[in-house]
Amino acid sequence: MAPPVSNMTDATQTGPVLSADGTPLKRSLQKALFRQKMRALALIAPLLIFVLVTFILPIGDMLFRSVENQIVSATIPRTVVALETWDADSGESPGEEVYAAFYWDMAEAVEAKTHTRLGGRLNYEMTGLSSLFRKTGRGVSDIGEFYMDQLADLNDEWEEGAFLADALGAESWVSAATDAAANDVTAPAFVLRDGVADALPLTAHIYSRFAAQTLAEKDSPLEEDPWEAVYTALYQDLISNPNAASAVSPAAANLFTDAAAAVPNFENIGFKEQFIDIDKDWDDPEAWQTIQAYSSAYTAGYFLAAMDLMNTPDGIARVDEDERIYIRLFGRTIFMSLLITGTCILLGYPIAYLLSNLKVRHANLLMILVLLPFWTSLLVRTSAWKVLLQQQGVINDLLVWVGLVADDSRLQLINNQLGTVIAMTHILLPFMILPLFSVMKTIPPSYVRAAKSLGATNWTAFWRVYFPQSVPGIGAGSILVFILAIGYYITPELVGGTSGVFISNRIAYHISTSLNWGLAAALGAMLLVLVLALYWIYDKMVGIDNVKLG
Amino acid sequence: MKLVKTLIGATSALALSASALTAQDMTIVSWGGAYSASQQNAYHDPYMAANPDITIINDESSPEAVAKLRAMNEAGNITWDLVDVEAADAIRLCDEGLAMEVDHDDVLAAAPDGTSASDDFGDMIISDCFIPQIVFSTTFGYRTDQVPAGVEPPTGACDVFDLETYPGKRGLNKNPIANLEWALLCDGVAYEDVYDVLETEEGQDRAFAKLDTIKDEVIWWSASAEPIQWLADGEVFMASAYNGRLFAAIVEQNQPIGMAWDWQMFDLDGWVIPAGLPEDRLARVMDYLFFATDTQRLADQAKYISYGPARTSSAPLVSTHAELGIEMAPHMPTDPNNAENTFVNNYNWWADYRDDLDAKFQAWLAQ
């Protein structure tokens, strides 16, 4: 727009138009607009931040759980690596090195109390792993004890926390920790003695973990009994490095020399045998297959489960017929939500029509009748329906009294799909009536009068002239009702019995009872996608521009 | 959508209770209703009388305790000090690292005769995190006025499956626990074998086949008040329900309901301490726990609600109802007359099989 303006102001000026302060008009206009935009943004910023923090982020975080699976690789990292080379189809349980890796992982996991959590996670995929991990957690300390006892047979000193702390800790740390104990304060962070990490690598690692956790609990490694796994590590290290005694403190060197000489004669049982001894299920390749299949940081497992599918060694397969529920529930949720939307249109349309055509005084009264239930608590209304619909309820009593129904064959109106449809139609009806009403209010009565004066019958005038103009209201009401219905939870739970429950009831179960948040998130994500997809289809078919809320 | 609600609910509850928390408040989470009232009378009031500087805040969130504790743990802000949960939830919370492990002999009072706490509670300690409080049972109530003429009234679980003698609707809990065990027990499986049988595919099919015989007559409840309301309205002839609620309907509200105790399922309720409490709050909780779980306090609770105390040493001290003055012992699930045939929910077994059987149960219901 700049050139014509410049022609009009000053014929001699050729450059861009300048504003009063000498900057080009375009830029200063942009600046002003930008400032205006920023001001508008600042005004809505509180809302925007609020929605982001309380709505978008929690939803995103929750949906992320549907694929997140870091717990396996975080809890048993060495096992995950060791299992990579194992052939799951071999039909044989893995070799000793996997069990060894698993032992070190479990030893740490048990002390951190994370092994049962992992068991719970894996139990979603294979029944029985929950108690297997719990049982194994109790059993792993026995493995360490086995070596601890043999060392203690050589010399009782081995069982003393102070002895090992002194042998493995740096001299400066030992004296600082001793001082700290005398003054009743927490010792400083543990420091290994120089050379211990090279001479006794396993021991150094596991003992450092023990010391760190003990200090975190405000205890002193000088006083606490070391983890049993430390002794397993000592046994392994002393076998592979008989000269390790030179690395430990001079006071402990003698005992280490003696032990190094004695360990080759110790009784030794392989890790594999020890684990199978704890539970024979560890000999079963199936448990290892499950761990291997779910060891990656991200998994499609929850989404598969949400679609009644599962991962098998032969690829993705459907779960057993007697365990398929989710697809059926999704189907039912959509079908019943559509049905409820339909009944809402049927019931709501005449009411909205009446509301918009009555005299204001009567319309207001009718409006209050619509709004009163809308303002009543959802639970109260649902409970009221129970009283009305049950077999010994008001409606059945009336029917029996009138003689329409025999006393011994009272109608089943609740605890089935019919109950859910009745109660939810009633609850969602205002969401249909209100948008319909506000659209109908804007339809000028003169159109219908004009149609009639041109010879249309009542029906033609309504169907050809009035109804098409009210369609945007139906659209808005339908979207509202359908989307609300698809996520409904408490009403189906209370009046739906077994055949009238929705997918949200299973989501609630997995959130609050089974704690399988991954599956709940997957089901929720699918529900969200479903709603968006239906919205898209609706937009393609009807056009979202045709929706009016007033 | 539900997830978000839960999350937002949890966070707002967090914010609310966090702001309400002062130095000497202790937030105790329980089930609400008559049960919380019994705890208030038997534990909280006497404790606050003895420790005037402590205020106990009741939170009625036990039904959502597991999910909320996890949300709190992830947010790193534990606002609850002590939580009352069912045994199965306690195991789950313990496995998840959301509840604190305790040494029962260290933190709980010994019995008056010197028996250690762990011996006094005995088998009731089903998890290292769980401090048992009461024994309740899922048992059966029936309409006394609907028993067919000339027939003995029902006595227990197996009468539920006997549609010929006792026609009419049944109310059962909409979850596999207890129902599958009852189905097998009443199909002739010996009590010792129930869980072994249920572990097998054939055993599960057998249990569902038995339930199939009454499926058309069953209404399934999910809230524990429902079966009581159905019985009171005559909507069902027989229903499984918690014995304390049946007691309230029969004795306190004079409904025409009878008890059928045979093969009642024992279940436990007790305390767990949320993991990660700061030291000062933990010390207060420990002090309260020591007081509230001693022999006398557990026996006192039975004055207000018909749940049996979890300590062996409390049983002889159970006396009369605080308001009605009737003897409470005959209404206890643990009374020998009621406990001829009982079984205890095998929590560890269910921890493994719950996911699997729940899917099967839901699929069976949907058929």
Side-chain angles (χ1 to χ4, degrees), chain A residues 328 498-499, chain B residues 160-161 163 168-170 172 208-220 360-367:
Chain A
R328 189 201 299 255
T498 58
S499 59
Chain B
V160 168
F161 295 93
L163 284 174
K169 294 270 179 199
R170 277 91 168 106
L172 290 175
F208 281 116
K210 182 74 178 172
L211 283 170
D212 261 331
T213 61
I214 56 166
K215 193 177 179 186
D216 291 341
E217 295 296 314
V218 177
I219 312 177
W220 303 92
K360 280 195 177 149
F361 186 75
Q362 294 297 335
W364 174 79
L365 283 180
Q367 272 164 22

PDB file of all heavy atoms in Angstrom, chain A residues 328 498-499, chain B residues 160-161 163 168-170 172 208-220 360-367:
ATOM      1  N   ARG A 328     -14.370 -54.473  22.260  1.00  0.00           N
ATOM      2  CA  ARG A 328     -15.802 -54.563  22.475  1.00  0.00           C
ATOM      3  C   ARG A 328     -16.303 -53.329  23.239  1.00  0.00           C
ATOM      4  O   ARG A 328     -17.326 -52.739  22.902  1.00  0.00           O
ATOM      5  CB  ARG A 328     -16.090 -55.836  23.285  1.00  0.00           C
ATOM      6  CG  ARG A 328     -17.561 -56.169  23.401  1.00  0.00           C
ATOM      7  CD  ARG A 328     -17.793 -57.073  24.587  1.00  0.00           C
ATOM      8  NE  ARG A 328     -17.086 -58.334  24.459  1.00  0.00           N
ATOM      9  CZ  ARG A 328     -17.683 -59.487  24.153  1.00  0.00           C
ATOM     10  NH1 ARG A 328     -18.973 -59.502  23.943  1.00  0.00           N
ATOM     11  NH2 ARG A 328     -16.984 -60.593  24.085  1.00  0.00           N
ATOM     12  N   THR A 498     -23.675 -54.859  33.835  1.00  0.00           N
ATOM     13  CA  THR A 498     -22.500 -55.382  33.144  1.00  0.00           C
ATOM     14  C   THR A 498     -22.510 -54.993  31.677  1.00  0.00           C
ATOM     15  O   THR A 498     -21.469 -54.832  31.072  1.00  0.00           O
ATOM     16  CB  THR A 498     -22.458 -56.911  33.224  1.00  0.00           C
ATOM     17  OG1 THR A 498     -23.670 -57.408  32.655  1.00  0.00           O
ATOM     18  CG2 THR A 498     -22.358 -57.360  34.648  1.00  0.00           C
ATOM     19  N   SER A 499     -23.711 -54.832  31.112  1.00  0.00           N
ATOM     20  CA  SER A 499     -23.757 -54.603  29.671  1.00  0.00           C
ATOM     21  C   SER A 499     -23.762 -53.121  29.336  1.00  0.00           C
ATOM     22  O   SER A 499     -23.665 -52.758  28.184  1.00  0.00           O
ATOM     23  CB  SER A 499     -25.007 -55.268  29.085  1.00  0.00           C
ATOM     24  OG  SER A 499     -26.154 -54.729  29.699  1.00  0.00           O
TER      25      SER A 499
ATOM     26  N   VAL B 160     -26.263 -69.381  47.321  1.00  0.00           N
ATOM     27  CA  VAL B 160     -26.357 -68.421  46.216  1.00  0.00           C
ATOM     28  C   VAL B 160     -26.493 -69.157  44.888  1.00  0.00           C
ATOM     29  O   VAL B 160     -27.206 -68.722  43.988  1.00  0.00           O
ATOM     30  CB  VAL B 160     -25.105 -67.518  46.197  1.00  0.00           C
ATOM     31  CG1 VAL B 160     -25.029 -66.719  44.914  1.00  0.00           C
ATOM     32  CG2 VAL B 160     -25.133 -66.585  47.390  1.00  0.00           C
ATOM     33  N   PHE B 161     -25.818 -70.310  44.792  1.00  0.00           N
ATOM     34  CA  PHE B 161     -25.823 -71.059  43.531  1.00  0.00           C
ATOM     35  C   PHE B 161     -27.035 -71.987  43.421  1.00  0.00           C
ATOM     36  O   PHE B 161     -27.210 -72.648  42.422  1.00  0.00           O
ATOM     37  CB  PHE B 161     -24.535 -71.884  43.414  1.00  0.00           C
ATOM     38  CG  PHE B 161     -23.310 -71.026  43.315  1.00  0.00           C
ATOM     39  CD1 PHE B 161     -22.583 -70.683  44.442  1.00  0.00           C
ATOM     40  CD2 PHE B 161     -22.896 -70.524  42.086  1.00  0.00           C
ATOM     41  CE1 PHE B 161     -21.464 -69.881  44.358  1.00  0.00           C
ATOM     42  CE2 PHE B 161     -21.776 -69.725  41.995  1.00  0.00           C
ATOM     43  CZ  PHE B 161     -21.063 -69.394  43.136  1.00  0.00           C
ATOM     44  N   LEU B 163     -30.469 -72.110  42.813  1.00  0.00           N
ATOM     45  CA  LEU B 163     -31.619 -71.333  42.351  1.00  0.00           C
ATOM     46  C   LEU B 163     -32.937 -72.065  42.578  1.00  0.00           C
ATOM     47  O   LEU B 163     -33.994 -71.451  42.652  1.00  0.00           O
ATOM     48  CB  LEU B 163     -31.474 -71.015  40.865  1.00  0.00           C
ATOM     49  CG  LEU B 163     -30.484 -69.897  40.503  1.00  0.00           C
ATOM     50  CD1 LEU B 163     -30.333 -69.796  39.005  1.00  0.00           C
ATOM     51  CD2 LEU B 163     -30.957 -68.571  41.078  1.00  0.00           C
ATOM     52  N   GLY B 168     -34.753 -66.167  42.922  1.00  0.00           N
ATOM     53  CA  GLY B 168     -34.654 -64.720  43.132  1.00  0.00           C
ATOM     54  C   GLY B 168     -33.317 -64.176  42.700  1.00  0.00           C
ATOM     55  O   GLY B 168     -32.386 -64.917  42.396  1.00  0.00           O
ATOM     56  N   LYS B 169     -33.243 -62.867  42.657  1.00  0.00           N
ATOM     57  CA  LYS B 169     -32.020 -62.198  42.218  1.00  0.00           C
ATOM     58  C   LYS B 169     -30.948 -62.279  43.290  1.00  0.00           C
ATOM     59  O   LYS B 169     -31.236 -62.314  44.482  1.00  0.00           O
ATOM     60  CB  LYS B 169     -32.310 -60.732  41.923  1.00  0.00           C
ATOM     61  CG  LYS B 169     -33.226 -60.520  40.742  1.00  0.00           C
ATOM     62  CD  LYS B 169     -32.442 -60.404  39.469  1.00  0.00           C
ATOM     63  CE  LYS B 169     -33.372 -60.214  38.286  1.00  0.00           C
ATOM     64  NZ  LYS B 169     -32.708 -60.533  37.025  1.00  0.00           N
ATOM     65  N   ARG B 170     -29.702 -62.271  42.841  1.00  0.00           N
ATOM     66  CA  ARG B 170     -28.555 -62.221  43.742  1.00  0.00           C
ATOM     67  C   ARG B 170     -27.733 -60.967  43.466  1.00  0.00           C
ATOM     68  O   ARG B 170     -27.627 -60.538  42.320  1.00  0.00           O
ATOM     69  CB  ARG B 170     -27.634 -63.425  43.507  1.00  0.00           C
ATOM     70  CG  ARG B 170     -28.053 -64.691  44.204  1.00  0.00           C
ATOM     71  CD  ARG B 170     -28.949 -65.527  43.320  1.00  0.00           C
ATOM     72  NE  ARG B 170     -29.107 -66.865  43.876  1.00  0.00           N
ATOM     73  CZ  ARG B 170     -30.220 -67.291  44.484  1.00  0.00           C
ATOM     74  NH1 ARG B 170     -31.267 -66.499  44.613  1.00  0.00           N
ATOM     75  NH2 ARG B 170     -30.290 -68.526  44.957  1.00  0.00           N
ATOM     76  N   LEU B 172     -23.869 -59.627  43.653  1.00  0.00           N
ATOM     77  CA  LEU B 172     -22.478 -60.026  43.888  1.00  0.00           C
ATOM     78  C   LEU B 172     -21.547 -58.881  43.506  1.00  0.00           C
ATOM     79  O   LEU B 172     -21.899 -58.021  42.701  1.00  0.00           O
ATOM     80  CB  LEU B 172     -22.124 -61.264  43.063  1.00  0.00           C
ATOM     81  CG  LEU B 172     -22.767 -62.600  43.463  1.00  0.00           C
ATOM     82  CD1 LEU B 172     -22.399 -63.684  42.460  1.00  0.00           C
ATOM     83  CD2 LEU B 172     -22.346 -63.024  44.860  1.00  0.00           C
ATOM     84  N   PHE B 208     -15.923 -70.262  36.099  1.00  0.00           N
ATOM     85  CA  PHE B 208     -16.837 -69.426  35.303  1.00  0.00           C
ATOM     86  C   PHE B 208     -18.086 -70.209  34.902  1.00  0.00           C
ATOM     87  O   PHE B 208     -19.176 -69.647  34.824  1.00  0.00           O
ATOM     88  CB  PHE B 208     -16.122 -68.888  34.057  1.00  0.00           C
ATOM     89  CG  PHE B 208     -15.228 -67.719  34.354  1.00  0.00           C
ATOM     90  CD1 PHE B 208     -13.861 -67.791  34.181  1.00  0.00           C
ATOM     91  CD2 PHE B 208     -15.773 -66.528  34.837  1.00  0.00           C
ATOM     92  CE1 PHE B 208     -13.046 -66.709  34.477  1.00  0.00           C
ATOM     93  CE2 PHE B 208     -14.961 -65.448  35.129  1.00  0.00           C
ATOM     94  CZ  PHE B 208     -13.587 -65.540  34.952  1.00  0.00           C
ATOM     95  N   ALA B 209     -17.914 -71.526  34.666  1.00  0.00           N
ATOM     96  CA  ALA B 209     -19.083 -72.344  34.311  1.00  0.00           C
ATOM     97  C   ALA B 209     -20.070 -72.363  35.476  1.00  0.00           C
ATOM     98  O   ALA B 209     -21.286 -72.291  35.288  1.00  0.00           O
ATOM     99  CB  ALA B 209     -18.636 -73.757  33.953  1.00  0.00           C
ATOM    100  N   LYS B 210     -19.521 -72.449  36.695  1.00  0.00           N
ATOM    101  CA  LYS B 210     -20.403 -72.454  37.867  1.00  0.00           C
ATOM    102  C   LYS B 210     -21.124 -71.101  37.986  1.00  0.00           C
ATOM    103  O   LYS B 210     -22.321 -71.048  38.260  1.00  0.00           O
ATOM    104  CB  LYS B 210     -19.562 -72.730  39.125  1.00  0.00           C
ATOM    105  CG  LYS B 210     -20.357 -72.821  40.412  1.00  0.00           C
ATOM    106  CD  LYS B 210     -21.125 -74.125  40.510  1.00  0.00           C
ATOM    107  CE  LYS B 210     -21.871 -74.212  41.838  1.00  0.00           C
ATOM    108  NZ  LYS B 210     -22.765 -75.382  41.875  1.00  0.00           N
ATOM    109  N   LEU B 211     -20.381 -70.030  37.752  1.00  0.00           N
ATOM    110  CA  LEU B 211     -21.008 -68.703  37.818  1.00  0.00           C
ATOM    111  C   LEU B 211     -22.036 -68.529  36.695  1.00  0.00           C
ATOM    112  O   LEU B 211     -23.032 -67.830  36.861  1.00  0.00           O
ATOM    113  CB  LEU B 211     -19.949 -67.600  37.731  1.00  0.00           C
ATOM    114  CG  LEU B 211     -19.139 -67.351  39.006  1.00  0.00           C
ATOM    115  CD1 LEU B 211     -17.977 -66.414  38.729  1.00  0.00           C
ATOM    116  CD2 LEU B 211     -20.019 -66.768  40.105  1.00  0.00           C
ATOM    117  N   ASP B 212     -21.783 -69.202  35.564  1.00  0.00           N
ATOM    118  CA  ASP B 212     -22.722 -69.136  34.438  1.00  0.00           C
ATOM    119  C   ASP B 212     -24.118 -69.600  34.841  1.00  0.00           C
ATOM    120  O   ASP B 212     -25.118 -69.101  34.321  1.00  0.00           O
ATOM    121  CB  ASP B 212     -22.225 -70.032  33.286  1.00  0.00           C
ATOM    122  CG  ASP B 212     -21.519 -69.219  32.219  1.00  0.00           C
ATOM    123  OD1 ASP B 212     -21.872 -68.024  32.074  1.00  0.00           O
ATOM    124  OD2 ASP B 212     -20.618 -69.755  31.553  1.00  0.00           O
ATOM    125  N   THR B 213     -24.173 -70.586  35.778  1.00  0.00           N
ATOM    126  CA  THR B 213     -25.471 -71.150  36.143  1.00  0.00           C
ATOM    127  C   THR B 213     -26.377 -70.116  36.806  1.00  0.00           C
ATOM    128  O   THR B 213     -27.592 -70.281  36.834  1.00  0.00           O
ATOM    129  CB  THR B 213     -25.301 -72.351  37.096  1.00  0.00           C
ATOM    130  OG1 THR B 213     -24.644 -71.892  38.288  1.00  0.00           O
ATOM    131  CG2 THR B 213     -24.501 -73.464  36.458  1.00  0.00           C
ATOM    132  N   ILE B 214     -25.785 -69.061  37.374  1.00  0.00           N
ATOM    133  CA  ILE B 214     -26.629 -68.054  38.037  1.00  0.00           C
ATOM    134  C   ILE B 214     -26.518 -66.685  37.369  1.00  0.00           C
ATOM    135  O   ILE B 214     -27.122 -65.715  37.815  1.00  0.00           O
ATOM    136  CB  ILE B 214     -26.275 -67.904  39.533  1.00  0.00           C
ATOM    137  CG1 ILE B 214     -24.792 -67.578  39.709  1.00  0.00           C
ATOM    138  CG2 ILE B 214     -26.652 -69.147  40.299  1.00  0.00           C
ATOM    139  CD1 ILE B 214     -24.457 -67.093  41.109  1.00  0.00           C
ATOM    140  N   LYS B 215     -25.746 -66.613  36.271  1.00  0.00           N
ATOM    141  CA  LYS B 215     -25.413 -65.309  35.686  1.00  0.00           C
ATOM    142  C   LYS B 215     -26.663 -64.458  35.422  1.00  0.00           C
ATOM    143  O   LYS B 215     -26.666 -63.244  35.675  1.00  0.00           O
ATOM    144  CB  LYS B 215     -24.642 -65.515  34.395  1.00  0.00           C
ATOM    145  CG  LYS B 215     -23.985 -64.249  33.875  1.00  0.00           C
ATOM    146  CD  LYS B 215     -23.167 -64.547  32.628  1.00  0.00           C
ATOM    147  CE  LYS B 215     -22.525 -63.286  32.094  1.00  0.00           C
ATOM    148  NZ  LYS B 215     -21.855 -63.509  30.819  1.00  0.00           N
ATOM    149  N   ASP B 216     -27.723 -65.095  34.916  1.00  0.00           N
ATOM    150  CA  ASP B 216     -28.917 -64.316  34.561  1.00  0.00           C
ATOM    151  C   ASP B 216     -29.593 -63.704  35.768  1.00  0.00           C
ATOM    152  O   ASP B 216     -30.367 -62.750  35.646  1.00  0.00           O
ATOM    153  CB  ASP B 216     -29.927 -65.219  33.832  1.00  0.00           C
ATOM    154  CG  ASP B 216     -29.405 -65.619  32.464  1.00  0.00           C
ATOM    155  OD1 ASP B 216     -28.492 -64.932  31.986  1.00  0.00           O
ATOM    156  OD2 ASP B 216     -29.896 -66.616  31.908  1.00  0.00           O
ATOM    157  N   GLU B 217     -29.343 -64.277  36.938  1.00  0.00           N
ATOM    158  CA  GLU B 217     -30.035 -63.807  38.138  1.00  0.00           C
ATOM    159  C   GLU B 217     -29.186 -62.847  38.963  1.00  0.00           C
ATOM    160  O   GLU B 217     -29.587 -62.444  40.048  1.00  0.00           O
ATOM    161  CB  GLU B 217     -30.440 -65.009  39.008  1.00  0.00           C
ATOM    162  CG  GLU B 217     -31.461 -65.938  38.356  1.00  0.00           C
ATOM    163  CD  GLU B 217     -32.795 -65.250  38.118  1.00  0.00           C
ATOM    164  OE1 GLU B 217     -33.284 -64.574  39.040  1.00  0.00           O
ATOM    165  OE2 GLU B 217     -33.332 -65.365  37.001  1.00  0.00           O
ATOM    166  N   VAL B 218     -27.985 -62.544  38.473  1.00  0.00           N
ATOM    167  CA  VAL B 218     -27.073 -61.742  39.298  1.00  0.00           C
ATOM    168  C   VAL B 218     -27.083 -60.275  38.899  1.00  0.00           C
ATOM    169  O   VAL B 218     -27.064 -59.944  37.723  1.00  0.00           O
ATOM    170  CB  VAL B 218     -25.627 -62.279  39.206  1.00  0.00           C
ATOM    171  CG1 VAL B 218     -24.680 -61.398  40.007  1.00  0.00           C
ATOM    172  CG2 VAL B 218     -25.558 -63.706  39.727  1.00  0.00           C
ATOM    173  N   ILE B 219     -27.143 -59.412  39.883  1.00  0.00           N
ATOM    174  CA  ILE B 219     -26.874 -57.986  39.681  1.00  0.00           C
ATOM    175  C   ILE B 219     -25.527 -57.717  40.351  1.00  0.00           C
ATOM    176  O   ILE B 219     -25.290 -58.186  41.459  1.00  0.00           O
ATOM    177  CB  ILE B 219     -27.944 -57.106  40.351  1.00  0.00           C
ATOM    178  CG1 ILE B 219     -29.344 -57.605  39.991  1.00  0.00           C
ATOM    179  CG2 ILE B 219     -27.777 -55.662  39.931  1.00  0.00           C
ATOM    180  CD1 ILE B 219     -30.430 -56.807  40.682  1.00  0.00           C
ATOM    181  N   TRP B 220     -24.656 -57.009  39.649  1.00  0.00           N
ATOM    182  CA  TRP B 220     -23.291 -56.836  40.158  1.00  0.00           C
ATOM    183  C   TRP B 220     -23.132 -55.471  40.811  1.00  0.00           C
ATOM    184  O   TRP B 220     -23.468 -54.460  40.220  1.00  0.00           O
ATOM    185  CB  TRP B 220     -22.283 -56.997  39.027  1.00  0.00           C
ATOM    186  CG  TRP B 220     -22.418 -58.318  38.334  1.00  0.00           C
ATOM    187  CD1 TRP B 220     -23.180 -58.590  37.246  1.00  0.00           C
ATOM    188  CD2 TRP B 220     -21.801 -59.551  38.710  1.00  0.00           C
ATOM    189  NE1 TRP B 220     -23.071 -59.910  36.918  1.00  0.00           N
ATOM    190  CE2 TRP B 220     -22.235 -60.534  37.792  1.00  0.00           C
ATOM    191  CE3 TRP B 220     -20.922 -59.922  39.731  1.00  0.00           C
ATOM    192  CZ2 TRP B 220     -21.821 -61.862  37.876  1.00  0.00           C
ATOM    193  CZ3 TRP B 220     -20.515 -61.236  39.799  1.00  0.00           C
ATOM    194  CH2 TRP B 220     -20.960 -62.193  38.880  1.00  0.00           C
ATOM    195  N   LYS B 360     -10.343 -61.657  32.194  1.00  0.00           N
ATOM    196  CA  LYS B 360     -11.263 -62.759  31.870  1.00  0.00           C
ATOM    197  C   LYS B 360     -12.652 -62.492  32.454  1.00  0.00           C
ATOM    198  O   LYS B 360     -13.668 -62.745  31.803  1.00  0.00           O
ATOM    199  CB  LYS B 360     -10.720 -64.068  32.446  1.00  0.00           C
ATOM    200  CG  LYS B 360      -9.649 -64.649  31.577  1.00  0.00           C
ATOM    201  CD  LYS B 360      -9.364 -66.078  31.918  1.00  0.00           C
ATOM    202  CE  LYS B 360      -8.330 -66.591  30.937  1.00  0.00           C
ATOM    203  NZ  LYS B 360      -7.468 -67.591  31.482  1.00  0.00           N
ATOM    204  N   PHE B 361     -12.643 -62.000  33.688  1.00  0.00           N
ATOM    205  CA  PHE B 361     -13.923 -61.760  34.359  1.00  0.00           C
ATOM    206  C   PHE B 361     -14.731 -60.697  33.614  1.00  0.00           C
ATOM    207  O   PHE B 361     -15.927 -60.860  33.369  1.00  0.00           O
ATOM    208  CB  PHE B 361     -13.649 -61.329  35.807  1.00  0.00           C
ATOM    209  CG  PHE B 361     -14.872 -61.190  36.659  1.00  0.00           C
ATOM    210  CD1 PHE B 361     -15.536 -62.308  37.134  1.00  0.00           C
ATOM    211  CD2 PHE B 361     -15.365 -59.944  36.991  1.00  0.00           C
ATOM    212  CE1 PHE B 361     -16.667 -62.192  37.924  1.00  0.00           C
ATOM    213  CE2 PHE B 361     -16.491 -59.808  37.785  1.00  0.00           C
ATOM    214  CZ  PHE B 361     -17.141 -60.936  38.247  1.00  0.00           C
ATOM    215  N   GLN B 362     -14.045 -59.622  33.227  1.00  0.00           N
ATOM    216  CA  GLN B 362     -14.740 -58.552  32.511  1.00  0.00           C
ATOM    217  C   GLN B 362     -15.249 -59.035  31.163  1.00  0.00           C
ATOM    218  O   GLN B 362     -16.352 -58.689  30.743  1.00  0.00           O
ATOM    219  CB  GLN B 362     -13.821 -57.348  32.316  1.00  0.00           C
ATOM    220  CG  GLN B 362     -13.422 -56.653  33.604  1.00  0.00           C
ATOM    221  CD  GLN B 362     -14.602 -56.049  34.335  1.00  0.00           C
ATOM    222  OE1 GLN B 362     -15.614 -55.727  33.731  1.00  0.00           O
ATOM    223  NE2 GLN B 362     -14.494 -55.909  35.651  1.00  0.00           N
ATOM    224  N   ALA B 363     -14.432 -59.858  30.482  1.00  0.00           N
ATOM    225  CA  ALA B 363     -14.862 -60.384  29.194  1.00  0.00           C
ATOM    226  C   ALA B 363     -16.056 -61.308  29.384  1.00  0.00           C
ATOM    227  O   ALA B 363     -17.000 -61.294  28.589  1.00  0.00           O
ATOM    228  CB  ALA B 363     -13.706 -61.137  28.529  1.00  0.00           C
ATOM    229  N   TRP B 364     -16.021 -62.093  30.469  1.00  0.00           N
ATOM    230  CA  TRP B 364     -17.136 -63.005  30.759  1.00  0.00           C
ATOM    231  C   TRP B 364     -18.404 -62.206  31.045  1.00  0.00           C
ATOM    232  O   TRP B 364     -19.485 -62.545  30.572  1.00  0.00           O
ATOM    233  CB  TRP B 364     -16.751 -63.886  31.954  1.00  0.00           C
ATOM    234  CG  TRP B 364     -17.852 -64.776  32.438  1.00  0.00           C
ATOM    235  CD1 TRP B 364     -18.258 -65.958  31.896  1.00  0.00           C
ATOM    236  CD2 TRP B 364     -18.705 -64.551  33.573  1.00  0.00           C
ATOM    237  NE1 TRP B 364     -19.298 -66.480  32.615  1.00  0.00           N
ATOM    238  CE2 TRP B 364     -19.602 -65.639  33.652  1.00  0.00           C
ATOM    239  CE3 TRP B 364     -18.799 -63.539  34.529  1.00  0.00           C
ATOM    240  CZ2 TRP B 364     -20.572 -65.746  34.641  1.00  0.00           C
ATOM    241  CZ3 TRP B 364     -19.765 -63.645  35.512  1.00  0.00           C
ATOM    242  CH2 TRP B 364     -20.640 -64.729  35.566  1.00  0.00           C
ATOM    243  N   LEU B 365     -18.279 -61.151  31.819  1.00  0.00           N
ATOM    244  CA  LEU B 365     -19.440 -60.309  32.127  1.00  0.00           C
ATOM    245  C   LEU B 365     -20.035 -59.707  30.855  1.00  0.00           C
ATOM    246  O   LEU B 365     -21.246 -59.594  30.719  1.00  0.00           O
ATOM    247  CB  LEU B 365     -19.037 -59.166  33.056  1.00  0.00           C
ATOM    248  CG  LEU B 365     -18.839 -59.457  34.528  1.00  0.00           C
ATOM    249  CD1 LEU B 365     -18.452 -58.182  35.256  1.00  0.00           C
ATOM    250  CD2 LEU B 365     -20.101 -60.036  35.147  1.00  0.00           C
ATOM    251  N   ALA B 366     -19.137 -59.333  29.935  1.00  0.00           N
ATOM    252  CA  ALA B 366     -19.603 -58.623  28.743  1.00  0.00           C
ATOM    253  C   ALA B 366     -20.267 -59.548  27.729  1.00  0.00           C
ATOM    254  O   ALA B 366     -20.937 -59.085  26.820  1.00  0.00           O
ATOM    255  CB  ALA B 366     -18.426 -57.907  28.089  1.00  0.00           C
ATOM    256  N   GLN B 367     -20.054 -60.865  27.894  1.00  0.00           N
ATOM    257  CA  GLN B 367     -20.613 -61.805  26.902  1.00  0.00           C
ATOM    258  C   GLN B 367     -22.136 -61.784  26.913  1.00  0.00           C
ATOM    259  O   GLN B 367     -22.745 -61.787  27.969  1.00  0.00           O
ATOM    260  CB  GLN B 367     -20.135 -63.226  27.211  1.00  0.00           C
ATOM    261  CG  GLN B 367     -18.804 -63.542  26.542  1.00  0.00           C
ATOM    262  CD  GLN B 367     -18.166 -64.765  27.160  1.00  0.00           C
ATOM    263  OE1 GLN B 367     -18.831 -65.580  27.768  1.00  0.00           O
ATOM    264  NE2 GLN B 367     -16.850 -64.857  27.027  1.00  0.00           N
TER     265      GLN B 367
END
